[in-house]
Amino acid sequence: MIAHLTVFLALILLAAPASAQAPDDIDALRARSLSLVNKDRRAEGLGRLELEDTLNQAALAHARDMLERGYFSHTSPEGGTVLDRYRKAGGGDGRVVRENISRCTGCREQPDTSAVDDMHKGWMNSPGHRANILAEGLNGYGFAVVQDSRGNRYGVETFAGPGAPRGEVPGGKVEAIGPQAQTELAAAIINGERSGSSRVSADARLRGHLEAKLAAVDPAAVGLSQIRLHDDLPPGLDWRDYQVLYGECGGCGAEPTNSDVYFFVGKWSESRRSRAILKDGSLGNIGFVIAADGQGRKIAVLLLAGQ
């Protein structure tokens, strides 16, 4: 019987297999798979990945589930995704999570390093799987392979990391920036949409107020509704009116960057209500701060005020 290796994404229904078993030397196979991934990432100038228990568990759970229930898909029959599996294994929110899957039928021998090599070669020859292996913003890796007595084999590799910033910097490069530069850049973007004398100016007092508020919360755990800015604006200022805009993203990089400013302001501009606030000429002072948890989640808060 000839063994067939499959690494595409479509759903394939199989006859119900026998119980799935992971190889006794799974740790060695994981190390081999990781070395192959890191070798190809290094060739592209990308950072190396490290094995993580949660990702190993998520990969093993999915490999076993596919084999035992006879399906081949990134989505379980109940609709579960790789992110769901990662969370169930103990992973947190905020990180970007990716997954590659492989199936082999009629495999007579138990999976060994040559089988891992074949899986990796198949994934690298597939554009979608290759993109997962060579994605930016990853730092964690998991791998599992299981096989039953009938020669049905499933392999899964999982990836996770903070991801990469989503916004684009017109005519420039992505750079990490602090709160002062974030506020000044946000003001410049908004002024590009305003007209005449209705320009907005970066205000250090408003920026400091936001910095203090965001420093007191955990970006990985807090919800936007828990960030209270309305009760204690900077004292000694006769604010006639003010408006607050909130935003958040996951899997969008480890630290605040100039591209994040473009991303959040751009998203607000897509909403009629938020766009009206950004263009309100009576609001001439701005504070803008992004808080990041280092794992991929970011919270952005913009405060516009008028006197």
Side-chain angles (χ1 to χ4, degrees):
M1 182 179 293
I2 299 175
H4 298 280
L5 179 68
T6 309
V7 294
F8 56 86
L9 306 180
L11 175 66
I12 296 177
L13 298 179
L14 306 173
S19 178
Q21 297 293 329
D24 293 337
D25 58 346
I26 184 62
D27 289 340
L29 300 185
R30 282 176 174 146
R32 174 63 178 178
S33 182
L34 177 62
S35 69
L36 295 172
V37 166
N38 279 332
K39 179 180 178 181
D40 285 327
R41 287 179 62 84
R42 183 168 58 250
E44 298 295 326
L46 297 166
R48 64 178 288 106
L49 308 183
E50 300 290 343
L51 284 173
E52 295 184 9
D53 288 341
T54 51
L55 291 170
N56 284 332
Q57 292 173 30
L60 181 58
H62 192 45
R64 282 175 170 166
D65 189 52
M66 286 192 295
L67 197 158
E68 292 174 356
R69 295 204 286 168
Y71 71 96
F72 183 56
S73 174
H74 293 286
T75 305
S76 74
E78 296 78 20
T81 66
V82 61
L83 182 57
D84 296 325
R85 294 184 283 274
Y86 173 65
R87 288 170 174 163
K88 187 174 181 179
D93 293 327
R95 301 176 87 189
V96 62
V97 184
R98 297 170 177 262
E99 177 183 80
N100 286 339
I101 59 177
S102 172
R103 184 196 69 164
C104 176
T105 59
C107 298
R108 295 185 177 183
E109 304 297 330
Q110 286 298 306
D112 55 13
T113 55
S114 64
V116 173
D117 293 352
D118 288 342
M119 274 186 274
H120 181 74
K121 182 178 179 181
W123 284 325
M124 286 297 291
N125 286 335
S126 165
H129 298 86
R130 179 187 178 91
N132 283 341
I133 292 171
L134 301 180
E136 296 183 6
L138 301 177
N139 53 25
Y141 183 75
F143 175 83
V145 59
V146 297
Q147 184 167 318
D148 65 15
S149 59
R150 300 174 184 174
N152 297 308
R153 177 188 301 161
Y154 284 78
V156 178
E157 62 179 1
T158 49
F159 311 82
R166 299 179 185 177
E168 296 183 1
V169 181
K173 65 178 182 178
V174 177
E175 297 177 330
I177 58 174
Q180 179 178 342
Q182 294 166 23
T183 298
E184 292 172 351
L185 179 55
I189 297 172
I190 293 170
N191 284 332
E193 300 296 325
R194 291 192 177 191
S195 60
S197 60
S198 63
R199 295 178 62 81
V200 65
S201 300
D203 191 302
R205 298 162 298 182
L206 294 178
R207 186 194 75 236
H209 175 67
L210 296 182
E211 286 188 77
K213 284 291 187 179
L214 291 177
V217 302
D218 179 5
V222 71
L224 296 182
S225 62
Q226 298 173 269
I227 304 174
R228 305 298 300 171
L229 301 171
H230 305 74
D231 301 330
D232 53 350
L233 284 170
L237 300 177
D238 185 19
W239 300 113
R240 178 172 55 85
D241 191 17
Y242 63 91
Q243 295 285 349
V244 180
L245 296 177
Y246 299 92
E248 64 180 333
C249 66
C252 48
E255 57 185 343
T257 68
N258 52 356
S259 64
D260 293 315
V261 182
Y262 281 99
F263 172 75
F264 284 112
V265 176
K267 285 297 182 182
W268 289 322
S269 296
E270 294 174 1
S271 163
R272 179 180 300 179
R273 176 183 174 278
S274 298
R275 185 170 62 252
I277 292 173
L278 295 176
K279 291 188 173 184
D280 188 343
S282 69
L283 304 173
N285 300 79
I286 181 177
F288 176 86
V289 176
I290 301 171
D293 69 353
Q295 297 298 309
R297 185 166 188 254
K298 294 176 181 176
I299 295 174
V301 183
L302 181 149
L303 178 56
L304 282 167
Q307 293 179 287

